[in-house]
Amino acid sequence: MIALNPQRSFSSEDLASSVGTHAVVIRSIVKLLRGAGLVQTQQGVAGIDLTRRPEELTLLQIYRAVDAPESVFRVHEQPNPQCSVGSNILDTLGSVFGGAQEVLDAYLANVTLADVMSDLARRIG
């Protein structure tokens, strides 16, 4: 919303209404984005501004800024070492999930906020 309407100031309440969540959730996300240097805000003034052009901002940067997990894939970390499957599953799945995470990161690194905006604009009409 911010990037599609740069002339308008959006409050966390405005964004929360669009997303369908509470403004506190939006404020915590904005705090993370601000900490990563991706947005700027002014205390006491409604409005959130991007610090980069949408063409310069990748989804990977945003993903990492909002404290995304190191990996979207999780495995139970204490399988039974006495079991032939349990004693080997972490190495097996670590390799598979690590490869999948690399593909996800590479994909997100190649999608910009401008790409998302373009798709949204097309869908909105």
Side-chain angles (χ1 to χ4, degrees):
M1 285 179 65
I2 296 165
L4 283 173
N5 302 285
Q7 72 287 353
R8 182 170 171 210
S9 293
F10 290 101
S11 67
S12 54
E13 288 79 12
D14 295 328
L15 298 175
S17 175
S18 174
V19 175
T21 191
H22 196 278
V24 171
V25 174
I26 298 298
R27 284 192 286 274
S28 66
I29 292 170
V30 168
K31 181 179 178 182
L32 294 169
L33 293 170
R34 187 178 55 233
L38 304 182
V39 300
Q40 60 186 11
T41 59
Q42 289 184 304
Q43 191 169 354
V45 178
I48 304 158
D49 298 309
L50 296 175
T51 59
R52 301 176 190 173
R53 293 185 5 238
E55 299 81 11
E56 301 169 337
L57 189 53
T58 70
L59 293 190
L60 183 60
Q61 292 167 312
I62 296 167
Y63 174 76
R64 288 184 174 160
V66 295
D67 282 343
E70 185 96 7
S71 174
V72 296
F73 304 101
R74 296 209 177 251
V75 294
H76 178 67
E77 294 181 9
Q78 296 176 340
N80 182 351
Q82 304 304 317
C83 173
S84 60
V85 173
S87 63
N88 292 289
I89 197 68
L90 290 179
D91 289 338
T92 298
L93 291 180
S95 175
V96 171
F97 291 167
Q101 186 67 46
E102 288 175 15
V103 171
L104 174 64
D105 289 353
Y107 182 80
L108 292 177
N110 285 303
V111 178
T112 67
L113 183 56
D115 296 328
V116 173
M117 293 168 54
S118 177
D119 186 65
L120 274 172
R122 182 183 56 80
R123 293 173 189 273
I124 292 169

